[in-house]
């Protein structure tokens, strides 16, 4: 072989991917703060000891250690009894995280509090073992992880990507489209086939053809007036002739390059296909976003790019150590494997899931609506479709519960055709799935929080269709599950807020910025449908032609039992009701506990309680399951209210609403 192996010390040269049944070399122990056990080897030329020492010196902060703190892969942990020893483990199978063999740096001490019930030692850092596909190290050593190429668009990677596309097209029913989708209103023609023209804007007239969509983060510079020649009314005709790609942000340039390399012709990019200075065009085209991403043959994702100026084809690869591999049973067989510092957190898909792109609001539905996604990450390309995942790393497919392709569920058959009407249980299961998605979405970040409903509208529409829900969608809630839907809770009121501009009615979770969640119905006692309110009328002032999108205003007419609260106070002890931090008093009697959606709302006057659901004895021991809403009366002339939060009754006050006649009121 012509492979050049790196110089290794005696200890490092024994590193092998041993199976659990084999005896590997003894684990090494290194001493803080000078790490003499690897420092001398580094100076003697050992490449892996050099990598270990560099990583250790980066990991340990002297001031932090003096205070009994160590930083692991995830966070800083208190470890008061640490003996200044670090263990370098033998390579271990680590399939649960998606990797095959890893070497871990560990401290033989249990952090306070413990990381798990098993009292595991604190893992500080991970190194991964890789091999080339088809090599002896891969086939006989069990190393399926492949070291990524230095060139993102290398011949090997392009072959791999085209292989994913072909396999998906030919084998995956749920990803396939019977006919080519109609092109969006406008696309960019890259002329990769003919090469006669430079990239230019094309008005499509809805003709059927394959096209690619781009999902990416704009960033602060993208919208600066005059910064980039994005599509505007003033340059519309010019871009029909030619798009000056050299003046475009790097992410857009990279996306066009990928389309050319894949031999495709059309790409949809919002900045160049929606007229940026036309509110009317934005409203029209944003309402069609669902169709754009659903219909795309492929969605290219600039996953590693935090903004449009970053680009995504450049790579940041960890330094690697090349190690000779000789099979025990046949020492004459020579191959090699590689050791690198971990490329991502605890699992390869962290390179996708922990990015800025995956925290933005609009990208949530773009990911879930797309049939096929090609993620360009900082050190590898990842593939995602409705059937499977893959990557340049050649890691194992994720478990289905870790994948976002929720659209493909057991409720629908594989052809996505008609199904039998669902019974009530199936409907509530669908609402539960929907609420789970809304919870994940609520934590997303927006430049304009008023986009919350618009950026979810496509997903809501598809969810309604795919789950055969003949139900009305009302500003983030479903009519047939409306009572339960009203009982959403803010996860942390100290981090949530309401904006000065209008986002949504106060009864909708979209009116609050922050993580929200619903009471779970997995516990049988909370599957009772003993709701006490009635939705009489809905009045939504829709901002665009998209009925599921942004609103200018909205209210509902509700019939239910209301009682005024005389006093809101903070208890000296919160006990188990941490979410409901305020005592609620009526006629001098403590009647319940409440939690406000936003800190400061507890000082609002004219507070009322609305009974939403009957509370049974013992329900208070499940404090994350509210039964009432806290309301503020905004008009004394008539009963008009806004939401402040949610609440539960004291167990000895379950008859608080007895004798209260239901009344009609307007909920804004």
């Amino acid at each position: 072989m012509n492979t050049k192996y790196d110089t290794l010390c005696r200890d490092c040269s024994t590193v092998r991917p041993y199976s659990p049944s084999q005896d590997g070399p003894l684990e090494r122990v290194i001493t803080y703060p000078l790490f003499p056990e690897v420092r001398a080897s580094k100076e003697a030329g050992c490449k892996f000891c050099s990598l270990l020492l560099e990583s250790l010196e980066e990991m340990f902060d002297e001031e932090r250690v003096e205070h009994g703190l160590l930083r692991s892969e995830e966070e800083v942990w208190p470890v008061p009894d640490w003996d200044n020893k670090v263990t370098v483990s033998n390579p271990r199978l680590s399939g649960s995280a998606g990797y095959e063999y890893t070497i871990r740096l560990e401290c033989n001490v249990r952090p306070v509090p413990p990381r798990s019930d098993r009292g595991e030692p604190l893992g500080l850092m991970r190194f991964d073992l890789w091999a080339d596909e088809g090599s002896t190290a891969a086939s006989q050593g069990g190393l399926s992880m492949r070291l990524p190429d230095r060139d993102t668009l290398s011949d090997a990677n392009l072959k791999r990507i085209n292989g994913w596309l072909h396999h998906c097209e030919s084998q995956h029913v749920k990803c396939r489209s019977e006919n080519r989708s109609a092109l969006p209103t406008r696309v960019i023609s890259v002329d990769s086939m003919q090469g006669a023209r430079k990239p230019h804007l094309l008005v499509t007239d809805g003709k059927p053809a394959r096209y690619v969509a781009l999902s990416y983060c704009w960033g602060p510079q993208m919208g600066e007036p005059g910064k980039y020649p994005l599509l505007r009314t003033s340059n519309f005709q010019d871009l029909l002739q030619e798009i000056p790609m050299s003046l475009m942000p790097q992410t857009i340039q990279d996306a066009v390059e990928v389309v050319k390399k894949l031999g495709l012709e059309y790409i949809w990019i919002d900045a160049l296909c929606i007229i940026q200075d036309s509110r009317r065009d934005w409203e029209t085209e944003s309402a069609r976003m669902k169709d754009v991403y659903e219909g795309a043959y492929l969605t290219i994702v600039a996953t590693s790019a935090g903004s449009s100026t970053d680009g995504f084809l450049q790579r940041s690869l960890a330094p690697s150590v090349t190690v000779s591999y000789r099979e025990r049973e046949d020492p004459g067989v020579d191959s090699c494997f590689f050791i690198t510092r971990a490329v991502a957190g605890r699992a390869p898909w962290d390179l996708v899931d922990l990015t800025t792109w995956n925290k933005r609001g609009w990208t949530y539905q773009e990911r879930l609506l797309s049939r096929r996604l090609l993620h360009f990450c900082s050190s590898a390309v990842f593939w995602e479709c409705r059937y499977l995942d893959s990557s340049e790393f050649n890691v194992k497919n994720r478990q289905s519960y870790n994948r976002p392709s929720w659209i493909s569920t057991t409720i629908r058959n594989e052809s996505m055709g008609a199904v039998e009407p669902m019974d009530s249980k199936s409907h509530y299961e669908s609402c539960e799935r929907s609420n789970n998605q809304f919870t994940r979405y609520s934590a997303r970040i927006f430049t304009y929080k008023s986009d919350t409903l618009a950026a979810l509208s496509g997903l809501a529409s598809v969810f309604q269709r795919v789950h055969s829900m003949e139900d009305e969608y009302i500003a983030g809630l479903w009519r047939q599950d409306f009572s339960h839907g009203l009982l959403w809770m803010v996860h942390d009121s100290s981090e949530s807020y309401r904006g000065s501009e209008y986002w949504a009615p106060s009864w909708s979770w979209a009116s609050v910025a922050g993580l929200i969640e619903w009471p779970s119905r997995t516990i049988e006692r909370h599957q009772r449908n003993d709701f006490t309110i009635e939705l009489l009328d809905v009045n939504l002032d829709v901002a665009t032609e998209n009925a599921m999108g942004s609103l200018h205003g909205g209210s509902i007419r509700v019939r239910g039992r209301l009682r005024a609260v005389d006093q809101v106070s903070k208890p000296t002890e919160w006990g188990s009701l941490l979410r409901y931090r305020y005592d609620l008093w009526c006629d001098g009697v403590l009647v319940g506990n409440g939690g406000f959606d936003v800190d400061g709302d507890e000082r609002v006057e004219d507070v009322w309680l609305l009974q939403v659901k009957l509370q049974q004895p013992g329900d208070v021991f499940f404090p994350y399951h509210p039964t009432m809403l806290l309301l503020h009366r905004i008009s004394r002339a008539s009963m008009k209210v806004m939401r402040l939060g949610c609440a539960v009754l004291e167990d000895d006050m379950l008859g608080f609403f007895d004798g209260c006649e239901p009344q009609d009121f307007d909920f804004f």
Side-chain angles (χ1 to χ4, degrees):
M1 290 184 64
N2 296 321
T3 304
K4 183 179 179 181
Y5 305 126
D6 287 316
T7 301
L8 299 174
C9 65
R10 184 180 61 182
D11 287 331
C12 291
S13 63
T14 63
V15 172
R16 291 289 184 278
Y18 292 105
S19 69
S21 62
Q22 295 175 315
D23 294 326
L26 294 175
E27 295 186 323
R28 301 168 65 186
V29 178
I30 305 171
T31 309
Y32 172 86
L34 297 179
F35 311 113
E37 297 84 355
V38 292
R39 190 175 297 278
S41 295
K42 175 208 169 181
E43 293 171 357
C46 176
K47 183 74 175 290
F48 188 41
C49 282
S50 176
L51 183 58
L52 282 172
L53 182 61
E54 177 186 322
S55 302
L56 286 163
E57 290 179 336
E58 179 184 324
M59 173 67 66
F60 287 91
D61 179 278
E62 206 169 309
E63 183 178 348
R64 191 184 291 140
V65 173
E66 286 180 3
H67 289 84
L69 300 171
L70 292 180
R71 179 166 65 90
S72 71
E73 293 169 338
E74 299 94 12
E75 56 186 293
V76 175
W77 292 89
V79 283
D81 300 323
W82 184 45
D83 59 2
N84 288 9
K85 303 294 184 183
V86 179
T87 300
V88 183
S89 76
N90 289 321
R92 301 174 185 168
L93 280 170
S94 182
S96 61
Y99 294 100
E100 293 300 321
Y101 282 96
T102 64
I103 296 171
R104 292 178 65 83
L105 302 187
E106 297 176 336
C107 290
N108 191 28
V109 63
R110 275 52 173 171
V112 182
R115 300 181 72 208
S116 73
D117 294 336
R118 296 173 302 206
E120 295 175 342
L122 181 62
L124 300 175
M125 191 177 295
R126 194 187 73 242
F127 296 84
D128 300 322
L129 275 63
W130 314 74
D132 289 327
E133 285 181 278
S135 68
T136 303
S139 59
Q140 298 185 21
L143 294 175
S144 64
M145 289 274 288
R146 178 189 177 277
L147 201 63
D149 292 344
R150 295 201 169 274
D151 180 7
T152 304
L153 296 180
S154 65
D155 290 343
N157 265 352
L158 290 172
K159 182 179 179 181
R160 180 174 292 103
I161 293 167
N162 280 310
W164 288 332
L165 281 166
H166 175 73
H167 179 77
C168 182
E169 254 195 305
S170 60
Q171 302 296 323
H172 298 169
V173 177
K174 294 176 187 174
C175 305
R176 194 187 305 154
S177 178
E178 292 295 328
N179 302 302
R180 294 192 175 186
S181 301
L183 288 173
T185 306
R186 309 174 193 99
V187 293
I188 299 163
S189 173
V190 303
D191 275 329
S192 61
M193 302 292 190
Q194 298 141 6
R197 290 184 62 184
K198 293 184 178 180
H200 58 278
L201 184 67
L202 178 70
V203 179
T204 68
D205 296 323
K207 74 172 184 177
R210 281 181 179 166
Y211 67 93
V212 174
L214 175 65
S215 179
Y216 67 113
C217 298
W218 270 46
Q221 297 183 41
M222 185 75 152
E224 291 181 14
K227 180 78 174 179
Y228 299 107
L230 310 182
L231 181 60
R232 296 184 174 87
T233 51
S234 59
N235 67 352
F236 191 101
Q237 294 301 320
D238 294 336
L239 297 189
L240 288 173
Q241 301 304 312
E242 179 185 343
I243 295 174
M245 292 308 302
S246 62
L247 301 180
M248 289 296 165
Q250 190 60 50
T251 292
I252 291 179
Q253 294 188 45
D254 287 354
V256 170
E257 179 66 17
V258 172
V259 173
K260 286 182 177 179
K261 290 285 189 179
L262 293 178
L264 299 170
E265 188 168 359
Y266 303 117
I267 181 170
W268 183 91
I269 302 173
D270 59 355
L272 292 171
C273 297
I274 300 176
I275 303 173
Q276 299 302 308
D277 56 354
S278 170
R279 181 70 187 178
R280 183 173 181 178
D281 193 65
W282 185 89
E283 290 174 352
T284 300
E285 295 302 318
S286 65
R288 298 171 181 169
M289 208 81 78
K290 171 185 74 70
D291 301 322
V292 170
Y293 285 96
E294 267 197 300
Y297 172 68
L298 173 69
T299 297
I300 290 173
V301 186
T303 317
S304 63
S307 76
S308 60
T309 60
D310 293 344
F312 58 84
L313 293 181
Q314 69 281 5
R315 291 216 150 160
S316 175
L317 298 180
S320 62
V321 179
T322 306
V323 184
S324 173
Y325 176 86
R326 295 181 186 276
E327 176 60 22
R328 279 186 166 190
E329 287 71 22
D330 186 1
V333 175
D334 195 9
S335 181
C336 72
F337 63 95
F338 311 95
I339 305 174
T340 69
R341 188 164 163 180
V343 296
R346 292 185 295 174
W349 278 88
D350 285 353
L351 285 172
V352 175
D353 296 333
L354 301 184
T355 59
T356 299
W357 171 83
N358 202 46
K359 296 174 183 176
R360 301 296 301 180
W362 282 95
T363 62
Y364 191 80
Q365 72 170 5
E366 292 169 10
R367 183 178 188 181
L368 294 182
L369 292 176
S370 298
R371 289 184 285 168
R372 309 177 183 96
L373 299 106
L374 192 60
H375 292 278
F376 287 87
C377 300
S378 56
S379 54
V381 177
F382 284 72
W383 168 271
E384 185 174 24
C385 70
R386 292 175 183 171
Y387 268 94
L388 61 82
D389 314 313
S390 192
S391 78
E392 193 178 343
F393 292 148
N394 198 34
V395 294
K396 291 179 179 178
N397 201 26
R398 286 177 295 171
Q399 296 293 327
S400 59
Y401 54 77
N402 284 329
R403 301 177 63 232
S405 301
W406 59 273
I407 293 176
S408 303
T409 68
T410 55
I411 291 179
R412 299 290 289 180
N413 61 25
E414 288 196 352
S415 66
M416 306 285 274
V419 295
E420 295 296 320
M422 292 189 296
D423 58 26
S424 59
K425 182 180 179 182
S426 295
H427 179 271
Y428 289 124
E429 287 175 352
S430 293
C431 290
E432 197 83 349
R433 289 193 187 98
S434 173
N435 290 345
N436 289 339
Q437 294 300 327
F438 296 166
T439 291
R440 295 187 183 100
Y441 175 73
S442 67
R444 293 291 179 121
I445 301 168
F446 284 89
T447 302
Y448 304 104
K449 192 66 173 65
S450 55
D451 288 345
T452 299
L453 290 173
L456 185 68
S457 60
L459 206 56
S461 173
V462 172
F463 198 95
Q464 187 181 49
R465 185 189 79 229
V466 170
H467 289 269
S468 299
M469 293 170 66
E470 296 179 1
D471 198 351
E472 183 182 359
Y473 177 77
I474 308 172
L477 305 177
W478 301 102
R479 177 183 277 272
Q480 293 183 35
D481 196 41
F482 202 79
S483 296
H484 178 79
L486 286 175
L487 293 174
W488 53 268
M489 302 166 290
V490 170
H491 181 73
D492 186 348
S493 61
S494 68
E495 295 184 356
S496 63
Y497 63 94
R498 290 190 180 92
S500 56
E501 61 177 342
Y502 188 84
W503 298 343
S506 71
W507 42 263
S508 168
W509 56 267
S511 65
V512 175
L515 178 64
I516 57 94
E517 51 200 338
W518 276 267
S520 171
R521 284 182 280 203
T522 57
I523 301 173
E524 186 175 351
R525 72 182 298 125
H526 295 298
Q527 294 174 6
R528 307 188 310 260
N529 293 323
D530 46 2
F531 295 104
T532 58
I533 63 171
E534 182 182 356
L535 178 62
L536 303 175
D537 191 26
V538 177
N539 180 23
L540 298 181
D541 183 6
V542 181
T544 70
E545 63 183 57
N546 180 6
M548 291 183 167
S550 299
L551 301 172
H552 287 315
S555 66
I556 53 177
R557 185 81 172 161
V558 176
R559 178 173 297 156
R561 294 178 174 87
L562 293 159
R563 284 198 66 175
V565 174
D566 297 338
Q567 181 186 354
V568 176
S569 65
K570 205 166 188 177
T572 54
E573 293 185 8
W574 295 346
S576 63
L577 302 180
L578 291 176
R579 189 181 294 272
Y580 307 106
R581 299 181 300 189
Y582 294 91
D583 286 340
L584 308 174
W585 301 80
C586 184
D587 297 329
V589 177
L590 176 64
V591 298
N593 300 89
F596 291 85
D597 297 334
V598 177
D599 278 2
D601 281 357
E602 70 275 7
R603 296 188 290 272
V604 172
E605 297 181 352
D606 207 357
V607 176
W608 291 69
L609 283 171
L610 167 67
Q611 183 188 47
V612 178
K613 186 175 184 177
L614 290 176
Q615 186 171 317
Q616 303 291 345
D619 283 358
V620 74
F621 294 109
F622 296 89
Y624 293 169
H625 292 76
T627 57
M628 301 179 292
L629 292 185
L630 280 166
L631 307 176
H632 166 53
R633 184 168 63 173
I634 58 177
S635 170
R636 292 186 180 273
S638 59
M639 200 59 185
K640 296 181 179 179
V641 301
M642 295 183 67
R643 174 181 160 130
L644 295 175
C646 49
V648 291
L649 288 170
E650 291 285 307
D651 242 2
D652 59 354
M653 295 298 297
L654 299 186
F656 180 63
F657 290 96
D658 290 352
C660 248
E661 289 298 321
Q663 59 178 297
D664 299 351
F665 61 94
D666 294 313
F667 201 165
F668 288 85

